[in-house]
Amino acid sequence: AGNDKYPVRLLSNVDLHINFMTKLIEEYLSTSLDEKRSPQYNLTVFDLNELIEIMINEMKTLHTGNRFCKLAAMPVWVKADKYKIIQVLINYFTNAVNFSPPSSQITVETAIKNNSVEVAVRDQGVGIPCGQEDKIFQRFDKCDQKAVRQKNSKGLGLYLVKSIIQEHGGSVRAQRGEGCGSVFYFSLPLHKDNRYEQTAMAASKLTN
C-alpha cells in the first residue's frame, strides 16, 4: 500500500513535483527503436477519477495559461499501474496544452461503457489533420502541420501511451473535435471491486 501511494505523495510535494513530471515526460523521449521493453507493472486498485483530479491540479500549477475543467463523476475503480497511468495522463494533458492556444480550455471527462471506463481529453487547438486519427498513435509519427510542431517532440509519446493502455487490456483512439480541436481517449477495464459496486448501486437507487 505504501508503494502504491508514492507517486501521489511525491506529486503533492511542491519542491519535487516539477522534476518528477519532467522525468516522466523524458522517459517517452529516451526509448530506442531497438529497445525490447518488458515492463513489470505494479498493479493496484485505485479511483481513476481521484487520480485525474490530482493530475489536473498539477497541470494547473505548471500551465497557468490554460483552463482545465473536469466534468463531475463518481469514483471509478480500476486495477492498473498507477505510475504508468500517470504517464498516460501527463502525455495527453501536455499534448493538449502544446497544441492549443493560450487561455483555451481543456476538458476531461470519464464515462462508463460496458465493463470499461473511458477517459476523454478535449482541447480547443488546431485539431488532427484529416485522416490521421489512427496514424498518430504509430511510432515516430508527427503531425505534419508546421504550426503544431513542438520542440523536443520525437513522436514517441502517443505510441507509448497506446502500448501502456493495451498492456492493461484497454484501448486508445482520437478524433477531431466538433468545430475545432481534438479529443483523445483511452479506456481501462473496470475493476470488480466491492467499493465500486456499492457506489454504482447507490447511484442506481437515486435515479430509480
Side-chain angles (χ1 to χ4, degrees):
N3 290 336
D4 173 39
K5 296 179 180 178
Y6 176 74
V8 176
R9 290 204 310 268
L10 184 57
L11 284 170
S12 65
N13 188 317
V14 175
D15 294 330
L16 296 178
H17 83 276
I18 294 178
N19 289 335
F20 173 75
M21 295 179 75
T22 300
K23 178 184 175 183
L24 290 178
I25 295 170
E26 287 177 348
E27 287 186 10
Y28 286 116
L29 304 179
S30 63
T31 302
S32 168
L33 269 175
D34 300 324
E35 181 182 355
K36 293 184 179 180
R37 304 170 68 238
S38 55
Q40 295 182 349
Y41 290 150
N42 176 27
L43 300 179
T44 60
V45 177
F46 60 92
D47 176 5
L48 181 60
N49 273 323
E50 180 181 43
L51 183 63
I52 291 172
E53 291 277 7
I54 291 170
M55 295 308 302
I56 285 177
N57 287 334
E58 295 300 321
M59 297 304 288
K60 286 179 178 178
T61 301
L62 290 176
H63 302 285
T64 57
N66 292 88
R67 294 175 289 125
F68 286 85
C69 172
K70 182 178 183 300
L71 302 185
M74 67 181 187
V76 175
W77 301 95
V78 298
K79 187 173 184 179
D81 187 320
K82 187 179 289 187
Y83 183 86
K84 294 296 183 182
I85 303 307
I86 287 174
Q87 287 183 312
V88 170
L89 291 170
I90 286 176
N91 185 279
Y92 272 17
F93 292 165
T94 302
N95 279 344
V97 169
N98 287 342
F99 296 165
S100 300
S103 302
S104 63
Q105 180 166 296
I106 296 164
T107 304
V108 187
E109 181 178 5
T110 55
I112 305 299
K113 296 189 175 182
N114 298 322
N115 294 318
S116 298
V117 53
E118 185 173 68
V119 178
V121 179
R122 306 172 187 271
D123 65 52
Q124 298 175 321
V126 295
I128 303 170
C130 186
Q132 302 294 306
E133 290 86 351
D134 294 327
K135 186 180 178 183
I136 57 177
F137 286 101
Q138 296 175 9
R139 187 188 288 263
F140 290 110
D141 180 74
K142 291 184 182 180
C143 180
D144 59 6
Q145 296 183 35
K146 183 177 180 181
V148 299
R149 290 187 179 182
Q150 301 298 313
K151 183 176 66 173
N152 295 327
S153 173
K154 298 183 181 179
L156 281 168
L158 291 175
Y159 170 81
L160 293 181
V161 162
K162 181 178 180 179
S163 297
I164 289 171
I165 295 301
Q166 287 185 337
E167 286 161 357
H168 278 82
S171 62
V172 297
R173 63 188 179 96
Q175 67 183 43
R176 295 177 62 86
E178 296 181 4
C180 69
S182 306
V183 189
F184 283 83
Y185 301 86
F186 73 87
S187 67
L188 290 171
L190 286 173
H191 180 64
K192 300 297 184 180
D193 186 88
N194 287 335
R195 290 168 294 183
Y196 173 77
E197 292 173 355
Q198 291 171 0
T199 303
M201 186 179 299
S204 176
K205 289 180 179 178
L206 289 175
T207 57
N208 292 335

